[in-house]
Amino acid sequence: CSFPKVKKNPYHISDEHISEAQVKKQLAAEEEERLKSGGTSLNSTSAPSFIAMGLEIEETQRRLKRLAQGVVSHLATTKEGNLTEQRNVLRTKIRVFDRLASIYMPGLPEYLESLSKNSQSTSDTTTSPTPNASGTKSHHPEDIDIWLPSRICSSHRGAVCIEGLSGIEERLRTGQCKDSLEALRQVLRLKSRMVQFKNKNVRGQRDGTRSRAVIDRVHERARATAAKYRAARQAMFDLHGKGPWEATFRVLEDGDIRSYQDPDRMRPRQGRQGIWEDDETPIDADPSTSDLSLFNEIRAKRDGTGETRRTISWIWTHAKKKHTEDGDDEILRAEWAKSRARAERAKEEVLLLKEEMNRVLKYLDWKASWWRKSASVQFDVSRELSEGIRAYALTQADVQDRLARRFKAMWEAPLNAPDDSTSENNSDEDESSDSESEVEILAREQNIVQDSDEEGA
């Protein structure tokens, strides 16, 4: 049986937008209620699952494109597996998606046929099949067009898709945007900490190169997350058009992808003449040809140098709702709860470590006693061998004693340090003793007053 949750999660921060996983859960519950109320199912794969499959295929296509860029031979791949095998799996998923598209998007073949007949794309179409640079379509599955409601012209979307299909994609795209921004913020936090650790602790060319390679992998994660957000936002714009949602999910520029504490523009450090420092790379002079970069930009003399010109990227300012009262500030409450949990966990680790130290000392004392008892045991052996066994046992007992003395000297300070609970108990005892002494003093004064009254009488 399941136990209902009666208390609120102190670590959760409510948001006006829900995640993609929560959207999928809501859509599954709504589909179940629709079927219970007598609705019909067109296929064993529901419409929300069909749209979710299309979004998953798009994400796989973006990942395979990044993977193919770093593969020199089609037979060699990275740790994610063989590129050819992954393409075969993706091609199978696309076939399944195409079969389902004929059910949930029955007007798609006619729509694609009309597009092929028109030599020029109209302004109403959101996207159209475009050939690659060589003028021919690629045979790789990551280059195949995945037709979702967002790619259909708004004037033809109702005739191509079944009712409610575009609304399902819009809800899933909203969850995608939220998850992508949260993942991007997490990657930027991780990268900032890694850069700080590298600058503080890493020295030398070898270690610097290795740490830089790790940071570059985190940089690639930021690129992938930014690409996912941009694709999801473009799909939302194609589905919904302009609206209030653009204030929350803005256009993500390369300059917006920076950590919480970084200003919008900073001056890079000057390297040695003729070479670059270990943690620097040349900055492309043409910003239009450069890819997403998390390095600092060059600033002019009039751009300002003070803290008053520091601005925060919008990806950090729009995330949570603002409250007027401190009691309703969920961010403050969640951060306090997390800090308290970390502090309590640290205290628990200290207590466990002290207990482990005590047990080690107890074990060494027991082991030394065991060796001494073994030295006094009589064996049916020669006198010389018996003396050798006794000497070996006493030697081992002495080793255990010396280890115990050394560990006790090393651990004397932490073992004798008072715990927080002990200090609190001592403070309570001190307060109780102080109160008892005050009571005794008052009683003694009262007795003196009574004695003086009796003498006066």
Side-chain angles (χ1 to χ4, degrees):
C1 61
S2 60
F3 296 93
K5 297 181 180 179
V6 295
K7 292 186 178 181
K8 187 177 180 180
N9 184 5
Y11 309 108
H12 175 69
I13 302 176
S14 60
D15 197 357
E16 57 183 1
H17 298 286
I18 60 179
S19 63
E20 185 178 0
Q22 292 173 335
V23 172
K24 291 180 180 179
K25 185 177 180 180
Q26 289 183 358
L27 291 173
E30 293 174 3
E31 181 69 14
E32 183 180 2
E33 292 295 331
R34 188 183 68 83
L35 295 177
K36 286 182 179 179
S37 61
T40 59
S41 177
L42 300 178
N43 190 272
S44 59
T45 303
S46 62
S49 300
F50 166 71
I51 298 296
M53 182 186 299
L55 300 184
E56 181 182 354
I57 291 175
E58 286 185 347
E59 178 63 22
T60 306
Q61 287 180 328
R62 289 190 291 267
R63 181 175 58 84
L64 288 183
K65 287 180 181 179
R66 296 191 303 269
L67 186 61
Q69 291 177 356
V71 176
V72 179
S73 173
H74 292 287
L75 301 178
T77 59
T78 59
K79 296 180 181 180
E80 296 184 11
N82 186 274
L83 180 60
T84 304
E85 294 180 359
Q86 295 187 48
R87 282 173 171 169
N88 294 335
V89 173
L90 178 59
R91 190 175 283 108
T92 303
K93 292 182 179 180
I94 292 177
R95 293 195 190 101
V96 176
F97 179 82
D98 291 339
R99 288 196 295 267
L100 293 174
S102 62
I103 299 175
Y104 294 105
M105 303 176 68
L108 183 60
E110 292 79 5
Y111 178 75
L112 295 179
E113 185 178 358
S114 64
L115 286 181
S116 61
K117 290 180 179 179
N118 297 330
S119 58
Q120 296 180 353
S121 60
T122 61
S123 59
D124 294 335
T125 55
T126 57
T127 55
S128 60
T130 56
N132 54 16
S134 61
T136 59
K137 293 288 291 184
S138 174
H139 64 280
H140 296 310
E142 61 265 25
D143 298 323
I144 298 177
D145 296 321
I146 303 300
W147 290 93
L148 289 168
S150 58
R151 300 199 63 182
I152 307 299
C153 174
S154 58
S155 58
H156 298 82
R157 192 174 297 147
V160 173
C161 307
I162 64 173
E163 184 180 0
L165 193 64
S166 59
I168 294 174
E169 184 185 0
E170 183 179 350
R171 293 170 64 179
L172 288 173
R173 293 291 189 181
T174 303
Q176 263 193 342
C177 289
K178 179 184 180 301
D179 290 347
S180 300
L181 287 178
E182 184 61 30
L184 183 59
R185 288 190 288 265
Q186 185 66 21
V187 170
L188 292 177
R189 294 190 194 101
L190 176 61
K191 182 177 182 295
S192 298
R193 293 183 180 181
M194 294 178 68
V195 171
Q196 292 174 3
F197 179 84
K198 174 181 178 296
N199 295 336
K200 184 178 180 181
N201 301 284
V202 177
R203 296 293 182 270
Q205 183 177 3
R206 184 187 62 178
D207 296 338
T209 303
R210 291 180 178 178
S211 60
R212 188 64 192 179
V214 176
I215 296 176
D216 289 341
R217 289 197 292 268
V218 178
H219 182 83
E220 291 299 325
R221 289 173 54 186
R223 288 186 179 184
T225 307
K228 182 178 180 180
Y229 171 80
R230 287 165 177 165
R233 189 194 180 280
Q234 181 61 40
M236 283 188 61
F237 183 81
D238 296 336
L239 288 169
H240 197 275
K242 295 183 178 180
W245 64 273
E246 291 183 297
T248 302
F249 300 120
R250 306 180 189 177
V251 177
L252 184 63
E253 303 291 346
D254 290 347
D256 298 328
I257 306 176
R258 58 181 185 271
S259 64
Y260 182 81
Q261 297 179 350
D262 290 343
D264 52 352
R265 304 183 70 185
M266 294 179 62
R267 182 187 299 276
R269 294 184 300 169
Q270 297 294 332
R272 298 189 296 270
Q273 294 292 333
I275 63 172
W276 290 89
E277 297 289 346
D278 294 336
D279 57 344
E280 295 180 347
T281 57
I283 300 177
D284 196 348
D286 187 6
S288 61
T289 60
S290 62
D291 200 354
L292 169 64
S293 176
L294 302 183
F295 297 106
N296 298 330
E297 300 177 358
I298 300 177
R299 64 188 302 178
K301 187 175 182 180
R302 292 182 175 271
D303 288 339
T305 57
E307 293 291 329
T308 57
R309 297 180 182 269
R310 184 186 294 266
T311 58
I312 300 176
S313 176
W314 66 267
I315 64 176
W316 302 97
T317 57
H318 93 288
K320 308 300 179 185
K321 298 182 293 184
K322 296 182 179 180
H323 302 277
T324 55
E325 299 181 1
D326 292 340
D328 297 332
D329 194 344
E330 294 185 348
I331 301 178
L332 181 62
R333 183 210 66 210
E335 291 299 327
W336 180 88
K338 292 177 182 178
S339 300
R340 182 179 182 276
R342 287 191 289 265
E344 294 297 330
R345 190 184 303 116
K347 293 179 182 178
E348 183 180 1
E349 291 293 334
V350 172
L351 293 177
L352 292 175
L353 182 60
K354 288 184 177 181
E355 181 62 24
E356 187 175 355
M357 291 177 179
N358 288 322
R359 294 192 180 192
V360 168
L361 295 177
K362 294 291 184 181
Y363 171 78
L364 292 175
D365 292 339
W366 171 84
K367 195 65 175 178
S369 301
W370 182 84
W371 278 112
R372 291 190 182 92
K373 291 180 181 179
S374 300
S376 60
V377 176
Q378 298 294 330
F379 297 97
D380 189 11
V381 293
S382 62
R383 179 181 177 183
E384 293 80 4
L385 183 57
S386 177
E387 290 180 355
I389 294 174
R390 185 173 183 275
Y392 178 79
L394 293 177
T395 302
Q396 293 299 321
D398 183 66
V399 169
Q400 302 299 323
D401 289 335
R402 284 189 282 114
L403 284 176
R405 289 194 298 269
R406 181 173 179 81
F407 288 158
K408 189 174 182 180
M410 292 172 57
W411 299 339
E412 183 177 4
L415 287 177
N416 295 332
D419 299 332
D420 293 339
S421 58
T422 306
S423 60
E424 292 177 358
N425 295 333
N426 293 336
S427 61
D428 295 339
E429 293 177 359
D430 294 339
E431 292 178 357
S432 60
S433 61
D434 293 340
S435 60
E436 291 176 359
S437 60
E438 292 178 358
V439 171
E440 293 177 356
I441 293 173
L442 291 175
R444 191 180 305 109
E445 292 178 353
Q446 186 175 4
N447 293 332
I448 294 173
V449 172
Q450 290 178 357
D451 295 340
S452 61
D453 293 341
E454 292 177 358
E455 292 177 358

